[in-house]
Amino acid sequence: MKKIVIETNSEEETISTGFNFAKNLVQGSSIAFYGDLGSGKTEFIKGICDYFQVDEIVSSPTFTLVNKYIAMKDDFEFPIFHIDLYRIKNTRELEEIGLREILESDESIKLMEWAEKTFNYFESYDFKIQITFDDLIESKRSISISDKNSY
């Protein structure tokens, strides 16, 4: 995959882009998300969860820090961890939420918003996704997806 950039013009297109991207994921995958508040990280994650037939409501775990969803692929259930590090202030807090154990799981898919808040605690991602929004057109997003061989 290397690096690709996709432009979306609506929330639905961002969700659809996440759905199509999810086809690249397998159990054990970890994805780092970067972008300002309201850039569309959670909408992209909704698309990933749609692909994996998650029944739960997908929302950013800003206050709970970690949401665990039950995913389905080929009649097999496995966890998806949706992690939001926006409120994290230091590596001690990362340890307290059990981030290392979550990220080292080979059975789950890990989706981490605000990955820059790991303070280099964990840097081994399969994909990095940067989402930016257009200052002039509120619904327009630029989604840059890089695999581990291109960042």
Side-chain angles (χ1 to χ4, degrees):
M1 174 183 272
K2 299 234 174 175
K3 181 177 180 177
I4 61 171
V5 178
I6 299 166
E7 302 289 330
T8 63
N9 294 297
S10 68
E11 185 177 299
E12 293 78 19
E13 285 183 16
T14 300
I15 291 170
S16 178
T17 301
F19 183 94
N20 291 325
F21 167 76
K23 297 171 186 174
N24 298 291
L25 303 179
V26 296
Q27 287 177 265
S29 294
S30 59
I31 302 88
F33 287 86
Y34 301 87
D36 291 334
L37 281 171
S39 63
K41 298 178 297 292
T42 300
E43 300 311 308
F44 192 96
I45 288 170
K46 285 179 182 178
I48 293 172
C49 290
D50 284 349
Y51 178 80
F52 288 107
Q53 303 170 37
V54 169
D55 287 332
E56 295 97 336
I57 294 173
V58 176
S59 62
S60 187
T62 303
F63 295 100
T64 59
L65 303 179
V66 179
N67 285 346
K68 181 181 178 182
Y69 309 120
I70 302 301
M72 179 75 73
K73 175 82 177 190
D74 300 325
D75 294 324
F76 181 75
E77 287 186 352
F78 62 92
I80 290 179
F81 288 99
H82 181 184
I83 305 154
D84 186 328
L85 301 179
Y86 181 72
R87 298 187 179 284
I88 294 293
K89 294 177 182 62
N90 55 53
T91 56
R92 182 182 53 76
E93 291 179 341
L94 296 173
E95 292 168 8
E96 288 173 359
I97 66 168
L99 184 64
R100 182 158 313 274
E101 292 80 11
I102 292 170
L103 293 175
E104 289 178 348
S105 166
D106 290 333
E107 297 175 4
S108 64
I109 291 176
K110 289 77 65 178
L111 310 171
M112 186 180 319
E113 296 189 43
W114 300 95
E116 63 271 24
K117 297 266 196 149
T118 62
F119 309 103
N120 298 321
Y121 182 80
F122 186 84
E123 288 294 316
S124 180
Y125 303 105
D126 295 298
F127 296 94
K128 289 187 179 183
I129 298 176
Q130 174 75 46
I131 304 177
T132 56
F133 51 91
D134 190 294
D135 291 332
L136 301 176
I137 304 171
E138 185 178 321
S139 61
K140 186 174 183 177
R141 301 291 186 266
S142 177
I143 303 169
S144 175
I145 302 172
S146 305
D147 68 17
K148 62 183 167 189
N149 298 317
S150 61
Y151 59 78

